[in-house]
Amino acid sequence: HGNPWSVVEKRPEPPRQRERLIEDWADAIYRRAGFGLQLTMDIMTHTTMRPTNAATLLHSQFIAGRRAFRVTTVKTGAHIDFVLKSPDLVELIVSRSRFSGMSSPYIVHQQPDRLTGRRHWPEWRTCQFQLSVDKLSREFSAIRDSLGILSDLPKPKRPSLYEMRSLAGDMHLSDGYSK
C-alpha cells in the first residue's frame, strides 16, 4: 500500500500567453519612456520586483547602509529586502528620484498631466505625483507599439511591462546569480 503521497504528479506548464521581452526591445522602450516608467524599469531590472511593488516603493523603504529596499510584497504580504547587485546603481536610482524637482514620498513618480484637487484623486492615490501601475503599463505598451515591436502579433500576445520581471530574472541568471 505505501504512502499515497509518494508519487507526485507534475502538472504540465501552462502555455506561454505572451512573447518574452528581450534586452534590445527593453532598451528601446526605456529610451522613449517618461521619468516614472524609466524609474520603474530600473527598479524592476535590478531587483526583479513586480510592477506593483516598484510603483508603490517609498523613499522611506530605502535602507542606505545595505543599499536595499525593504518591501512588503503586494501579492504575498511577505517582508523582503531587495538588495541591488550594484551599489552605485541603487544610489543613482534613489538620488535621481529625490532630485526630480517634485516633492514625492514615492521613488516612482512623475509630473501629472494636469494638477487636480485632492477630492478628484482616485481612492488609492496619496500624492499628486504618484503613478498607477495601469498608467505605467499603458505607457509601456504605447511605446512598444509605436516602435513596432512584434506588431504582427495580437496585442494580448505582445510583451507587457510585467515581462520586465522575466527579463530581469534572465539577466540575473546570466550574470551568475541563482534563482
Side-chain angles (χ1 to χ4, degrees), residues 73-134:
T73 62
V74 174
K75 185 175 180 180
T76 64
H79 301 287
I80 299 173
D81 285 357
F82 285 93
V83 180
L84 277 74
K85 59 184 180 179
S86 169
D88 296 334
L89 188 60
V90 180
E91 297 292 340
L92 181 67
I93 291 170
V94 172
S95 65
R96 187 169 168 220
S97 174
R98 281 199 174 121
F99 298 110
S100 66
M102 293 170 257
S103 178
S104 175
Y106 293 93
I107 290 177
V108 173
H109 60 274
Q110 187 168 299
Q111 183 71 40
D113 298 332
R114 59 191 166 92
L115 294 173
T116 59
R118 194 174 201 131
R119 69 176 190 268
H120 299 291
W121 292 357
E123 202 173 286
W124 54 265
R125 180 173 276 167
T126 61
C127 167
Q128 65 183 345
F129 303 117
Q130 187 179 1
L131 288 168
S132 71
V133 176
D134 288 341

Side-chain angles (χ1 to χ4, degrees), residues 128-145:
Q128 65 183 345
F129 303 117
Q130 187 179 1
L131 288 168
S132 71
V133 176
D134 288 341
K135 182 174 174 70
L136 293 165
S137 197
R138 283 192 308 270
E139 181 183 351
F140 182 94
S141 297
I143 295 168
R144 176 206 62 211
D145 293 346

Side-chain angles (χ1 to χ4, degrees), residues 24-179:
D24 290 343
W25 296 339
D27 290 342
I29 292 168
Y30 182 90
R31 284 191 297 276
R32 288 205 184 168
F35 179 74
L37 182 56
Q38 283 185 350
L39 285 173
T40 304
M41 291 175 74
D42 282 339
I43 292 166
M44 289 179 70
T45 300
H46 300 286
T47 64
T48 69
M49 242 183 238
R50 289 180 173 87
T52 308
N53 292 116
T56 57
L57 202 56
L58 296 165
H59 284 286
S60 61
Q61 291 172 287
F62 175 61
I63 308 164
R66 292 205 45 226
R67 291 189 169 102
F69 296 111
R70 178 154 294 148
V71 177
T72 302
T73 62
V74 174
K75 185 175 180 180
T76 64
H79 301 287
I80 299 173
D81 285 357
F82 285 93
V83 180
L84 277 74
K85 59 184 180 179
S86 169
D88 296 334
L89 188 60
V90 180
E91 297 292 340
L92 181 67
I93 291 170
V94 172
S95 65
R96 187 169 168 220
S97 174
R98 281 199 174 121
F99 298 110
S100 66
M102 293 170 257
S103 178
S104 175
Y106 293 93
I107 290 177
V108 173
H109 60 274
Q110 187 168 299
Q111 183 71 40
D113 298 332
R114 59 191 166 92
L115 294 173
T116 59
R118 194 174 201 131
R119 69 176 190 268
H120 299 291
W121 292 357
E123 202 173 286
W124 54 265
R125 180 173 276 167
T126 61
C127 167
Q128 65 183 345
F129 303 117
Q130 187 179 1
L131 288 168
S132 71
V133 176
D134 288 341
K135 182 174 174 70
L136 293 165
S137 197
R138 283 192 308 270
E139 181 183 351
F140 182 94
S141 297
I143 295 168
R144 176 206 62 211
D145 293 346
S146 73
L147 291 169
I149 296 172
L150 297 174
S151 58
D152 56 323
L153 290 178
K155 284 188 179 185
K157 299 256 185 217
R158 297 177 196 168
S160 69
L161 176 61
Y162 293 82
E163 292 299 317
M164 278 299 302
R165 191 163 182 239
S166 296
L167 174 61
D170 293 345
M171 290 166 60
H172 285 263
L173 287 175
S174 70
D175 286 346
Y177 291 87
S178 63
K179 283 188 176 187

